[in-house]
Amino acid sequence: MRRRPAAVAAAGVLALLVLLALTAPLLAQLTGQDPNAYHDDLVDSARGGVPIGSFGGISADHWLGVEPGTGRDLFTRLVYGARISLLVALGATAVQIFVGVSAGLAAALGNRFVGQLIGRFTDVMIALPMLVLGIALTAVVPPDFPRPLLLILIIGLLDWGGTARMVRAQTLALRDLDFVDAARLSGNGTLRIARRELLPSLAAPVITLAAVKVPTAMVAEASLSFLGVGVKPPTPSWGQMLSSAQTWFRADPTYVLLPAGLLFVTVLAFTVLGDAVRTALDPREGSRLRVGTRRERKG
């Protein structure tokens, strides 16, 4: 993967983003800004709350300007919003992988009735519209339930069908191979065979799928927050910022471009890195994005 410039750049972007998210409290102390502190003196009330100054009120105290209407520091809200986006995306992906791998193994290694039952249920989960169900579920959950945890559970438990289908297909191809037959003849049970023989062989496709699922989960979180059923104020979120920016895109384009640009760059970096991981773990597969293919042909 080090021979792929785009993959290295994507990994660097993600490492920087994770560093910013982890050090958000330190960055807030460095800038001397509270992400939830209002600054009415930094917005022009006569113009409806437009930030005073150029480019959304950028200054030495507010590195990326301030939020229209409230005057809250935009830089600190963006880095705190990165924590929510990454937490929800990684947590939801972990739930998807755990449930999908468990269901796929059970469908492939269980009896015919169990396999058919899990297979039909998986087909139903794949066909369900995740956003519509997510909106419905967030509407009936008590408002004091932690929203990041709720989003992790909703996205993770509604989007595991593709993982289960892939794991089932891979397991069906592996279970009749010689090393699995040898483990079965040695007296190992189904759970032991799955844990010690099949899971190591499934690691490469599962890791590849997880790298692709992370940006999908991040977009889902941003979509739910954009629709007003995700993270609730005053907790910052990129999707929530984009939702509130709808009324400000003419008066203050910076407020729209910053969270949208960060979301786009993050999803693109995860996509490029996931494609590079897939190609590295399975050299027979070519890169869908043509990441680093020119250098590989020269070598």
Side-chain angles (χ1 to χ4, degrees):
M1 289 178 60
R2 289 196 299 267
R3 297 196 304 267
R4 303 170 184 270
V8 174
V13 169
L14 294 176
L16 177 61
L17 180 65
V18 171
L19 180 63
L20 289 175
L22 293 176
T23 59
L26 296 177
L27 293 173
Q29 293 181 2
L30 178 64
T31 59
Q33 302 296 332
D34 187 329
N36 298 321
Y38 283 56
H39 301 282
D40 295 332
D41 57 320
L42 299 179
V43 295
D44 189 353
S45 57
R47 299 175 57 197
V50 177
I52 299 173
S54 303
F55 301 104
I58 292 178
S59 65
D61 295 327
H62 303 280
W63 298 349
L64 296 178
V66 297
E67 189 178 59
T70 64
R72 293 181 292 192
D73 184 70
L74 196 52
F75 173 75
T76 55
R77 290 189 65 77
L78 284 171
V79 293
Y80 270 94
R83 305 184 98 187
I84 296 296
S85 296
L86 288 174
L87 173 65
V88 172
L90 295 175
T93 301
V95 173
Q96 291 173 11
I97 295 300
F98 176 78
V99 176
V101 169
S102 301
L105 285 172
L109 299 178
N111 56 41
R112 182 176 180 181
F113 174 76
V114 172
Q116 290 181 348
L117 180 63
I118 296 177
R120 300 294 79 77
F121 186 68
T122 300
D123 294 339
V124 171
M125 294 302 299
I126 293 175
L128 290 176
M130 186 180 68
L131 280 180
V132 176
L133 282 178
I135 294 172
L137 291 174
T138 52
V140 300
V141 173
D144 57 344
F145 192 88
R147 284 285 159 163
L149 177 58
L150 177 61
L151 291 175
I152 289 173
L153 294 176
I154 287 177
I155 297 173
L157 295 177
L158 292 179
D159 195 28
W160 54 266
T163 304
R165 180 176 288 179
M166 184 274 294
V167 170
R168 178 180 180 275
Q170 293 287 334
T171 304
L172 289 175
L174 292 170
R175 69 178 184 180
D176 294 328
L177 296 182
D178 292 341
F179 71 96
V180 178
D181 289 336
R184 188 180 298 111
L185 292 174
S186 299
N188 294 316
T190 303
L191 291 179
R192 186 177 178 86
I193 291 174
R195 186 177 69 252
R196 300 194 59 179
E197 306 296 338
L198 295 175
L199 283 179
S201 300
L202 293 170
V206 168
I207 291 173
T208 301
L209 187 62
V212 176
K213 286 289 186 179
V214 171
T216 304
M218 184 171 289
V219 172
E221 180 275 327
S223 301
L224 290 172
S225 297
F226 178 82
L227 295 172
V229 295
V231 178
K232 296 296 184 182
T235 304
S237 166
W238 292 349
Q240 178 197 110
M241 295 172 71
L242 284 173
S243 178
S244 60
Q246 294 180 83
T247 58
W248 300 101
F249 70 95
R250 291 183 183 273
D252 186 13
T254 305
Y255 185 45
V256 182
L257 294 176
L258 285 174
L262 280 174
L263 182 62
F264 171 77
V265 170
T266 305
V267 171
L268 179 62
F270 269 117
T271 303
V272 172
L273 188 61
D275 182 79
V277 169
R278 182 182 67 86
T279 308
L281 292 176
D282 189 358
R284 295 171 299 177
E285 292 286 342
S287 172
R288 295 171 300 169
L289 303 177
R290 302 300 179 187
V291 178
T293 52
R294 181 177 300 176
R295 180 173 295 187
E296 287 180 354
R297 283 198 297 268
K298 289 182 178 180

